[in-house]
Amino acid sequence: MGRRRGVELYRAPFPLYALRIDPKTGLLIAAGGGGAAKTGIKNGVHFLQLEQISGCLSASLLHSHDTETRATMNLALAGDILAAGQDAQCQLLRFQIHQQKGSKAEKSGSKEQGPRQRKGAAPAEKKSGAEVHPEGVELKVKNLEAVQTDFSTEPLQKVVCFNHDNTLLATGGTDGHVRVWKVPSLEKVLEFKAHEGEIGDLALGPDGKLVTVGWDFKASVWQKDQLVTQLQWQENGPTSSNTPYRYQACRCAGPRVAVLLEVVPDQPGGLRLFTPPPCYLTAWDSSTFLPLQTRSCGHEVISCLTVSESGTFLGLGTVTGSVAIYIAFSLQRLYYVKEAHGIVVTDVTFLPEKGCGPKLLGPHETALFSVAVDSRCQLHLLPSRRSVPVWLLLLLCVGLIIVTILLLQSAFPGFL
């Protein structure tokens, strides 16, 4: 088997930090930027149209939305509304695709208009950052409400996510507070202190429970602002209870909750050389919140985690640029590319399994997209695993029983 490599789909003119895919339109939304520093690096949200061209998945720039001096560090998607974490604010954006009459496809409503390219342009042409407008298609982006979501001395929104029916969104930042907001008015409905120090990640489950992980070495489960329980990994983990570790990320995956942990090496008394600490992927029961299974995912520190729409697959990115895909149920690793980006992977997301997802996926079992500080968006395809149909297994079992009976009858006459 040859060495696996990710396919470079797109290269932006700025570092990429966040990534989402709209299942209805097949838009891949990548965001990032250079921030407020006067370095000449722009800030923006790019909308890419995903297409199958000659049997290969391709991405072309449909629209570039300028975010001025604010880099987008995290994204959440609910229908046609984006929640973008920009510095200490959450900015809501609404995007809409319009079918134009005549030949108005060259209008993009963006400050970064480029030459119109033919549909199905070569990959080299698509990496230039120029906008591609399929005939008769125009995308418009409108700024909606914005609100400050973090109030620490150096405020920064770290994470944002919608609830299951997209009526609320939750935010977390460096001040350790979780805040819940109505959509789209961004009226605050709940606020509570979840962690001492910054919140690393949060996930909203369909039952209304909220899972948070923080840099205070705690992972907590909340029902509104009431603490339900704290996850206790060391009782069933592969290391001793005295080993310090930090929860890195969490995602709800069907009846399970997936949590990433990084073992923190104890270094009393100054500097020493040591092997990078191991990281672990743990599945927890979402009703009892007891650990079900733990699997080591190597010595690369994990930077981001995602789960597929059905909860079948988990996708990971690392600070050294590697990308991996796991089965959520067994935590078996199916796919791994070492240093695919060569620098920290900032976000990963799966191709949706509904809407236009199956058409774009083609013969593959799943597709994972990754972005990094290197400004690249890469595609990672998992080929369909060969499986034997259930009916064939039953037929083989029946045949095996018949053959065994015939052999016994021939060896021992009168057996039947």
Side-chain angles (χ1 to χ4, degrees), residues 19-188:
L19 184 67
R20 290 294 179 269
I21 299 177
D22 178 22
K24 182 179 179 181
T25 61
L27 287 176
L28 188 150
I29 305 164
K38 297 180 180 180
T39 59
I41 301 177
K42 296 181 179 180
N43 301 287
V45 180
H46 281 192
F47 294 80
L48 309 171
Q49 184 68 62
L50 293 175
E51 300 174 285
Q52 276 280 357
I53 299 178
S54 302
C56 297
L57 196 59
S58 175
S60 55
L61 181 60
L62 183 62
H63 179 81
S64 175
H65 177 69
D66 186 8
T67 58
E68 299 176 349
T69 61
R70 302 181 306 277
T72 299
M73 306 300 292
N74 41 82
L75 280 177
L77 175 65
D80 61 352
I81 293 181
L82 277 172
Q86 299 172 349
D87 299 329
Q89 287 191 329
C90 183
Q91 171 72 61
L92 293 187
L93 306 169
R94 173 171 278 128
F95 62 93
Q96 294 178 319
I97 291 181
H98 300 275
Q99 297 295 328
Q100 296 176 311
K101 295 181 181 180
S103 58
K104 297 180 181 179
E106 294 182 10
K107 296 180 181 179
S108 69
S110 168
K111 297 179 181 179
E112 297 181 36
Q113 274 189 299
R116 181 171 175 266
Q117 298 182 8
R118 67 184 183 277
K119 185 177 180 180
E125 294 176 298
K126 294 181 181 180
K127 295 173 187 175
S128 65
E131 295 190 32
V132 177
H133 301 289
E135 191 68 34
V137 175
E138 182 185 30
L139 187 140
K140 293 183 178 180
V141 180
K142 180 181 179 182
N143 288 331
L144 301 179
E145 299 294 326
V147 67
Q148 185 171 349
T149 60
D150 192 72
F151 296 88
S152 63
T153 53
E154 296 181 1
L156 179 66
Q157 178 176 299
K158 299 284 292 185
V159 62
V160 58
C161 69
F162 286 94
N163 67 342
H164 68 285
D165 61 1
N166 300 330
T167 58
L168 300 172
L169 67 84
T171 61
T174 56
D175 64 2
H177 285 254
V178 170
R179 296 175 175 90
V180 181
W181 315 82
K182 285 185 179 180
V183 178
S185 65
L186 290 185
E187 175 189 348
K188 185 166 62 177

Side-chain angles (χ1 to χ4, degrees), residues 106-369:
E106 294 182 10
K107 296 180 181 179
S108 69
S110 168
K111 297 179 181 179
E112 297 181 36
Q113 274 189 299
R116 181 171 175 266
Q117 298 182 8
R118 67 184 183 277
K119 185 177 180 180
E125 294 176 298
K126 294 181 181 180
K127 295 173 187 175
S128 65
E131 295 190 32
V132 177
H133 301 289
E135 191 68 34
V137 175
E138 182 185 30
L139 187 140
K140 293 183 178 180
V141 180
K142 180 181 179 182
N143 288 331
L144 301 179
E145 299 294 326
V147 67
Q148 185 171 349
T149 60
D150 192 72
F151 296 88
S152 63
T153 53
E154 296 181 1
L156 179 66
Q157 178 176 299
K158 299 284 292 185
V159 62
V160 58
C161 69
F162 286 94
N163 67 342
H164 68 285
D165 61 1
N166 300 330
T167 58
L168 300 172
L169 67 84
T171 61
T174 56
D175 64 2
H177 285 254
V178 170
R179 296 175 175 90
V180 181
W181 315 82
K182 285 185 179 180
V183 178
S185 65
L186 290 185
E187 175 189 348
K188 185 166 62 177
V189 296
L190 182 66
E191 177 181 351
F192 62 94
K193 179 78 169 180
H195 294 276
E196 297 297 331
E198 68 181 56
I199 293 177
D201 202 2
L202 58 83
L204 281 165
D207 57 356
K209 288 189 175 67
L210 176 71
V211 183
T212 63
V213 299
W215 281 72
D216 56 359
F217 298 86
K218 293 180 181 179
S220 304
V221 181
W222 308 85
Q223 188 74 55
K224 293 188 176 179
D225 58 350
Q226 299 299 309
L227 180 65
V228 176
T229 187
Q230 288 187 343
L231 302 184
Q232 300 295 329
W233 176 75
Q234 73 270 18
E235 294 180 1
N236 295 283
T239 61
S240 70
S241 59
N242 294 325
T243 303
Y245 59 91
R246 178 180 288 119
Y247 297 94
Q248 292 286 91
C250 58
R251 286 292 182 274
C252 293
R256 296 184 170 198
V257 175
V259 178
L260 277 166
L261 307 103
E262 173 195 357
V263 174
V264 180
D266 187 15
Q267 281 190 284
L271 181 67
R272 62 173 178 170
L273 296 176
F274 58 94
T275 302
C279 294
Y280 296 95
L281 183 60
T282 300
W284 305 73
D285 185 278
S286 62
S287 57
T288 63
F289 291 99
L290 295 175
L292 298 173
Q293 191 174 10
T294 292
R295 179 67 60 89
S296 172
C297 44
H299 290 267
E300 295 178 273
V301 177
I302 307 300
S303 56
C304 50
L305 167 69
T306 191
V307 63
S308 64
E309 194 173 19
S310 64
T312 305
F313 300 104
L314 296 173
L316 307 179
T318 75
V319 297
T320 51
S322 302
V323 177
I325 300 174
Y326 288 76
I327 299 177
F329 180 79
S330 63
L331 303 185
Q332 175 190 355
R333 192 170 75 181
L334 299 177
Y335 176 97
Y336 174 74
V337 178
K338 184 177 177 62
E339 298 179 0
H341 287 273
I343 197 170
V344 57
V345 179
T346 49
D347 204 1
V348 287
T349 191
F350 282 101
L351 186 69
E353 297 164 351
K354 298 178 182 178
C356 63
K359 180 181 177 181
L360 293 171
L361 187 60
H364 300 92
E365 188 163 5
T366 192
L368 181 71
F369 298 82

